[in-house]
Amino acid sequence: EPEVTQTPSHQVTQMGQEVILRCVPISNHLYFYWYRQILGQKVEFLVSFYNNEISEKSEIFDDQFSVERPDGSNFTLKIRSTKLEDSAMYFCASSRDSNYGYTFGSGTRLTVV
Amino acid sequence: RKEVEQDPGPFNVPEGATVAFNCTYSNSASQSFFWYRQDCRKEPKLLMSVYSSGNEDGRFTAQLNRASQYISLLIRDSKLSDSATYLCVVHVLTGGGNKLTFGTGTQLKVEL
C-alpha cells in the first residue's frame, strides 16, 4: 500500500535554530498538507499546498513557517527560528484530489529545548 | 462553540460490548465527514467516511445527520485491538483549498 514517508522521525533542536522537516507524499497525489499535534491536544491544520503554491494556511502558520516542494518528490516544512511552543508531532499528508481522503505520514516528533 | 466537538472519554468497555461515539460540528458548509483512528503517538488513520445514508464496514457503522450537524460511530463486538482514540473529522472546502478539522478525539479502552 502506498505511504507518505517523513524524516526524521524525531528531531531535537535548540530554541532559535532552524529546522526542516521532510516528507515524500504518495507519487500520484496532487494535494499536500502539514498538520501538527501538541502532546495531549488535537490535530491542527497548518497549511495546504497545490500546484506549487500554498492554497490555504492557518493562523498558526506565521512568517516563521514556510513550505517548499524543491523537486518532484519532496515536500518540506521549514521553521526559521524555533520556539519552545513549536514542540509537537508534525504530520505530513497527501491526497489525490481535494475531496478524497488523506493519507498521513507517521510524523516527525520535534522537541525544542 | 468548538468547530468539532467530541466527548473525550475514556470509554472503558468489556470485550464484546457495543459502544457509540458522537460528534457535533459547527460549520454548516462542511463537505465531507470522516472517522479516523489514532493509536498512542501514531499518525491518524482513516477508519471510514460518513454519509447521510449511513454506512457500515464490518463491525463499524457511521451515520451523519446534516440537519443536526451530528455524526456518530457505532462499534459492535468490540475487540481489545479497538482500543485507540477515535477522531471525528470534518472536511471543509475553503476559498483557495481545503482542510480537515479534527475533534479532540474520544478515547476507547476495551478490557478483558
Side-chain angles (χ1 to χ4, degrees):
Chain A
E1 189 176 325
E3 56 181 33
V4 175
T5 306
Q6 288 186 245
T7 55
S9 57
H10 192 186
Q11 172 117 29
V12 181
T13 189
Q14 287 205 325
M15 195 167 52
Q17 295 297 303
E18 175 184 285
V19 294
I20 297 176
L21 310 183
R22 301 180 193 281
C23 170
V24 178
I26 293 173
S27 61
N28 64 346
H29 284 188
L30 301 176
Y31 293 78
F32 314 115
Y33 314 88
W34 284 100
Y35 286 76
R36 80 170 186 191
Q37 186 174 31
I38 295 170
L39 189 63
Q41 297 187 24
K42 66 178 183 178
V43 178
E44 299 175 290
F45 169 75
L46 291 179
V47 66
S48 60
F49 191 87
Y50 170 72
N51 203 23
N52 286 318
E53 61 182 23
I54 291 173
S55 49
E56 182 75 22
K57 59 183 181 178
S58 71
E59 292 174 353
I60 302 168
F61 195 88
D62 61 22
D63 292 344
Q64 293 300 310
F65 291 85
S66 63
V67 289
E68 195 177 33
R69 190 155 161 80
D71 52 44
S73 59
N74 290 285
F75 179 50
T76 61
L77 174 69
K78 182 193 290 186
I79 308 175
R80 269 180 260 286
S81 177
T82 49
K83 307 185 194 68
L84 294 176
E85 54 265 36
D86 293 328
S87 295
M89 184 74 105
Y90 287 80
F91 293 110
C92 174
S94 68
S95 65
R96 200 167 64 194
D97 64 45
S98 60
N99 286 316
Y100 207 71
Y102 295 19
T103 301
F104 283 84
S106 56
T108 294
R109 180 166 299 283
L110 177 65
T111 303
V112 182
V113 297
Chain B
R1 184 179 171 187
K2 289 182 184 175
E3 288 186 88
V4 180
E5 198 146 3
Q6 295 181 250
D7 180 344
F11 283 58
N12 298 315
V13 302
E15 211 175 4
T18 295
V19 61
F21 304 138
N22 303 317
C23 164
T24 56
Y25 62 95
S26 61
N27 187 347
S28 58
S30 302
Q31 300 287 320
S32 313
F33 308 88
F34 307 94
W35 283 101
Y36 276 73
R37 170 193 169 128
Q38 186 174 32
D39 293 286
C40 190
R41 295 179 179 250
K42 301 282 189 182
E43 74 274 24
K45 290 191 176 174
L46 180 63
L47 181 66
M48 58 197 304
S49 302
V50 190
Y51 306 113
S52 297
S53 53
N55 49 305
E56 190 173 306
D57 183 1
R59 298 181 292 109
F60 299 85
T61 301
Q63 188 75 51
L64 165 67
N65 184 322
R66 280 192 183 267
S68 304
Q69 296 182 193
Y70 172 92
I71 305 162
S72 65
L73 176 69
L74 185 77
I75 305 176
R76 289 181 299 280
D77 188 25
S78 50
K79 314 285 185 200
L80 293 175
S81 55
D82 294 334
S83 297
T85 297
Y86 290 82
L87 308 174
C88 178
V89 183
V90 170
H91 181 226
V92 180
L93 291 179
T94 61
N98 71 95
K99 65 177 184 179
L100 297 180
T101 301
F102 286 77
T104 52
T106 299
Q107 190 178 10
L108 172 66
K109 294 181 183 177
V110 182
E111 302 162 331
L112 285 172

